[in-house]
Structure formats: structure tokens, C-alpha cells
Amino acid sequence: MKNVSKLIAFSLIAMIIAAIVDLAMFHQHGTPLLSGEVLWRVLLIIILWVVVVALAALRMRFCGYVTILVMIYYAFADYGGLITVRPRASAYGLAIEILCVIGIVVSLIGVWYGIQQRLDYDREKVREKIAHETKRK
């Protein structure tokens, strides 16, 4: 259960950073932040986080895989912001670049916790099988 709380914390941080970076990139390109395109994208980022948290809380079989995919999505969103931010040498550009790097690192940590989540699930099932076999004897 300790892994689940860490996973939720890191996925929350990665989600917030990805949303901020996306908003900054839309703003940079002159897209109104209350447009449907922007709101849909931010909503998608939030929905993905809710799915990760729900599956982690329910301890479903494929929750680790979903977590890994969502964390990779967040990392790519941050990488996209890192390579497209303009002007790079301004305080704004440097702040976004630093935020993107932090987001990528946090997302990679989230991938690690997703892998651990899957391994924990497998270990739990093996223990249950051993306990069941022991009971039968």
C-alpha cells in the first residue's frame, strides 16, 4: 500500500506539471486558454490521472500498465514543451524548461512506481496461490 500512495503523489505532481506546460505552450502560440481545444487537452490530462488513481486504489490487474502509459504520456507532453518553448533565454523560457525537466524526471519516477505496482500485484497473487496450495495439503 505504501507504493500506491507514492504512485498517487508522483502522478499528481506529473499531472500538474504536464497541465501547466500544456497551458504555457497554448499561451505561447496565442491560443485562448478558455478555448475548447485547451480545455479538452487539460481535461484529458486530468482524466488520465483520475484513471491512474482509481486503478491503483482498486489494485486491478492491469493498473501498472496503465500507470506506465500515462506517465510516459506526461513525459512526452513535458518533452514537447521543452523543445518548443520560445524564447529560450528569457526568464519565462528558462522557467518552463526547468519545469519540463522536473516533469520528465517525475514522470520517469512514476513509471518506476508503475513497474513496482505491477510487481507487487504479481507477488500478492503468488502468495495467495502458495497459501491456497498449502491449505489444500
Side-chain angles (χ1 to χ4, degrees):
M1 201 62 178
K2 189 166 85 172
N3 185 49
V4 172
S5 61
K6 289 180 183 177
L7 176 103
I8 291 171
F10 278 99
S11 65
L12 175 64
I13 295 167
M15 182 267 300
I16 291 170
I17 292 173
I20 291 170
V21 168
D22 259 15
L23 289 172
M25 292 303 98
F26 279 118
H27 176 69
Q28 171 182 307
H29 294 290
T31 306
L33 295 183
L34 294 177
S35 69
E37 180 183 4
V38 175
L39 294 177
W40 171 247
R41 179 77 178 235
V42 172
L43 183 64
L44 175 67
I45 289 170
I46 293 169
I47 288 171
L48 289 174
W49 178 76
V50 170
V51 168
V52 166
V53 171
L55 292 176
L58 295 174
R59 301 175 66 85
M60 299 194 69
R61 179 179 186 153
F62 56 90
C63 60
Y65 300 124
V66 172
T67 300
I68 292 167
L69 289 174
V70 170
M71 292 296 111
I72 290 172
Y73 174 78
Y74 289 161
F76 276 119
D78 294 332
Y79 178 72
L82 180 67
I83 62 173
T84 60
V85 67
R86 299 282 185 263
R88 290 188 179 280
S90 69
Y92 166 80
L94 290 174
I96 295 298
E97 286 178 335
I98 290 170
L99 191 62
C100 290
V101 169
I102 291 170
I104 291 168
V105 170
V106 169
S107 296
L108 292 176
I109 293 170
V111 167
W112 172 253
Y113 282 123
I115 293 168
Q116 292 302 311
Q117 185 180 26
R118 178 61 190 170
L119 292 174
D120 289 346
Y121 179 85
D122 288 343
R123 287 184 198 115
E124 184 178 312
K125 291 301 175 187
V126 168
R127 285 187 199 115
E128 287 175 7
K129 187 174 182 177
I130 290 171
H132 181 70
E133 292 296 323
T134 307
K135 263 187 183 178
R136 288 180 57 189
K137 292 181 182 182

